[in-house]
Each structure stands twice: as structure tokens, then as C-alpha cells.
């Protein structure tokens, strides 16, 4: 169902309005249960993961490239626009000229996720507010074979457009859910046999090498917000506190970089 549109205020484009306005988008996307995929690769990965599109917003040159995706969902309208019009609607230059609005899926059940682990490793992102870091964290989790990602109630949305884009769509392939009680849900992890390892620079922390030497069969690796890190009550509820040894006068890594290092070091051998 291809529809050519030449007016930026066309109500059919409501899903794509002002994509850079985080607070506006959060309210709109929560209300309508949607998220935005940007770029042909991300659009394709969302479709392959089983997400149902509400609509597509495409420059004409993408019709052939995405033909198989569009044919799979013939009931979803395809809005054809110029790249200039896309910029007027979204508030930024959509350099790839391809966007799609997808329906969100119900959140995964926590106990089911914890029962389905294969490598024995999951990640928890606590109060990470930068969508770029969330997306990069998911990409690292996918690349290093982490079984699942849990995000705390105050963590940024993994399905916000920027998170999805930075993750290169890997947010669709790593099982995840949002915790509802934090740090109370750590009790559920312990009931499932997980050792909880919180990454922080504390006097009683062990090194990442010490952690890997333990060879815990199930590990939940916890990473905190940019700048201040994990709160004291989260550290108190965790089994271990872990640090990544630094040199060169550097005291810490970006949270997504820390996660990538930890995921690699704790991978099964």
C-alpha cells in the first residue's frame, strides 16, 4: 500500500514527528506502543525478529531494496517522501532515507528469561541514561553471546531510535526485559542460581581476573549509570563487587566499554 506524501503536517506521518525530542517521543511511543527503526539493515532485522510494522517512511530509492520486507507486510502503508520532507517531519537529516514504525511486543517474563540461559551470563543495565550507551551495551552483549539483558526501571529505553540504531538492531536478537523491582529482583536471580557481580571502584572489589577465575556457572554482571555508577544499596545487595584494573592514569572506562570487556573476559571457554 504505497502512498506518496508531500506535506510535512500530514497526520499519517504522526509516528515520525520530531524523533530527536526524547521526552516527546517517550510519551508518544509509550502511549501508542511503538518504536522507530532507522536504516534498511535495522528495518530488516526488526522484521526478521518478528516485530509487526505499523508503517514505513521511505525515499523512493528504498522500494526495491526493501521489497521483500514490504511484501511480507502488505497491510502496512508505505509512505513515499522526499529526503527533504523526511527531515522536516523528523527534525534531523535522515541520511539513509529509510524509517519504519513498529509495534512493541509485550515484555518478556523474567523467570522465563532466567530459565533459558545457555552460556550462564546475563547483564543488568542500571539507570544508564544515555541511549547511545544502552545501544552499544546491547551490541556488545549480542557479539559476546550474553544470554539476556535486564534493564532497571530508570534505565533508558532500549527501543528508542538512537539505542536501536547504535545497537545495529541487535537489541532485537538479545532477549531482554525491564525489571519492576530494583534491587529487589536480585532475589529472583539468586533463586535461579546466579552470582551477582556489580562493577564498581570500591575498596573491597575483586579484579575481573579474579571473577573469571572463580568460574561461576551463572553470572549476572551489573553496570551502573554514567558518572556515579551503582548506588550503595545495589552494591550491598550484590554478591561481589568487581573492578577492571586500569593503567595510564585512567580511572575507569565508559560503561559500554566496561560491559564489552567483562562480557569477553567471562565468555565460556
Amino acid at each position: 500500500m504505497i502512498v506518496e506524501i508531500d506535506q510535512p503536517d500530514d497526520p499519517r506521518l504522526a509516528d515520525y514527528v520530531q524523533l530527536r525530542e526524547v521526552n516527546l517521543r517517550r510519551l508518544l511511543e509509550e502511549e501508542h506502543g511503538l518504536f522507530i527503526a532507522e536504516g534498511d539493515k535495522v528495518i530488516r532485522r526488526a522484521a526478521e525478529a518478528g516485530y509487526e510494522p505499523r508503517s514505513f517512511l521511505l525515499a523512493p530509492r528504498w522500494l526495491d531494496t526493501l521489497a521483500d520486507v514490504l511484501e511480507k507486510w502488505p497491510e502496512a502503508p508505505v509512505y513515499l517522501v522526499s529526503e527533504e520532507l523526511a527531515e522536516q517531519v523528523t527534525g534531523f537529516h535522515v541520511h539513509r532515507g529509510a524509517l519504519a514504525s513498529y509495534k512493541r511486543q509485550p515484555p518478556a517474563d523474567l523467570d522465563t528469561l532466567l530459565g533459558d540461559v545457555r552460556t550462564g551470563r546475563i547483564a543488568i543495565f542500571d539507570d544508564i541514561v544515555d541511549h547511545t550507551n544502552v545501544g552499544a551495551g546491547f551490541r556488545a552483549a549480542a557479539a559476546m553471546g550474553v544470554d539476556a539483558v535486564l534493564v532497571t526501571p530508570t534505565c533508558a529505553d532500549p527501543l528508542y531510535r538512537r539505542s536501536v540504531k547504535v545497537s545495529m538492531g541487535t537489541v532485537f536478537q538479545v532477549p531482554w526485559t525491564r525489571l519492576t523491582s530494583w534491587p529487589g529482583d536480585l532475589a529472583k536471580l539468586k533463586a535461579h542460581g546466579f552470582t551477582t557481580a556489580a562493577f564498581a571502584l570500591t575498596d573491597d572489589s575483586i579484579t575481573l581476573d579474579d571473577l573469571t577465575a572463580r568460574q561461576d556457572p551463572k553470572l549476572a554482571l551489573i553496570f551502573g549509570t554514567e558518572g556515579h555508577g551503582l548506588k550503595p544499596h545495589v552494591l550491598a545487595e550484590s554478591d561481589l563487587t568487581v573492578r577492571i584494573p586500569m593503567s595510564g592514569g585512567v580511572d575507569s572506562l565508559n560503561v559500554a566499554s566496561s560491559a564489552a570487556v567483562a562480557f569477553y573476559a567471562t565468555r565460556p571457554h
Side-chain angles (χ1 to χ4, degrees), residues 34-163:
L34 64 90
F35 69 89
I36 299 296
E38 180 183 356
D40 59 310
K41 291 183 177 63
V42 175
I43 289 173
R44 186 176 300 282
R45 286 178 177 171
E48 291 171 348
Y51 286 90
E52 181 182 351
R54 289 163 56 97
S55 65
F56 299 90
L57 182 70
L58 305 177
R61 63 192 176 98
W62 291 109
L63 284 178
D64 289 340
T65 303
L66 291 169
D68 57 322
V69 176
L70 304 182
E71 289 169 2
K72 183 180 178 182
W73 304 101
E75 71 282 4
V78 180
Y79 300 130
L80 283 190
V81 299
S82 67
E83 295 191 22
E84 293 76 16
L85 182 65
E87 182 173 350
Q88 286 182 270
V89 173
T90 63
F92 70 101
H93 176 59
V94 186
H95 68 280
R96 293 190 176 274
L99 296 166
S101 174
Y102 280 95
K103 297 179 182 179
R104 292 182 180 239
Q105 296 176 350
D109 176 71
L110 177 59
D111 286 310
T112 300
L113 282 187
L114 297 179
D116 287 342
V117 298
R118 303 177 308 281
T119 68
R121 294 172 305 148
I122 64 172
I124 301 176
F125 296 153
D126 178 22
D127 196 27
I128 297 176
V129 297
D130 186 283
H131 292 94
T132 297
N133 283 332
V134 172
F138 266 86
R139 189 172 182 179
M144 302 301 166
V146 173
D147 287 320
V149 174
L150 312 179
V151 298
T152 63
T154 54
C155 185
D157 181 12
L159 291 183
Y160 178 67
R161 177 189 59 85
R162 184 66 181 165
S163 300

Side-chain angles (χ1 to χ4, degrees), residues 11-30:
R12 291 171 292 187
L13 303 183
D15 284 4
Y16 304 95
V17 170
Q18 296 301 316
L19 295 184
R20 298 184 70 176
E21 298 294 331
V22 177
N23 291 332
L24 171 67
R25 294 303 309 182
R26 180 176 58 81
L27 294 174
L28 186 149
E29 293 183 11
E30 287 178 358

Side-chain angles (χ1 to χ4, degrees), residues 121 144 197-202 204-216 219-223 240-246 253 255-267 269:
R121 294 172 305 148
M144 302 301 166
F199 280 73
L201 301 174
T202 62
D204 62 346
S205 62
I206 65 174
T207 68
L208 180 56
D209 289 333
D210 293 334
L211 176 65
T212 58
R214 289 169 50 97
Q215 297 186 332
D216 293 282
L219 269 177
L221 307 173
I222 310 171
F223 304 92
L240 302 169
T241 306
V242 183
R243 70 182 183 279
I244 299 174
M246 299 283 143
L253 296 174
V255 63
S257 299
S258 296
V261 170
F263 297 158
Y264 180 80
T266 57
R267 72 197 187 283
H269 293 286

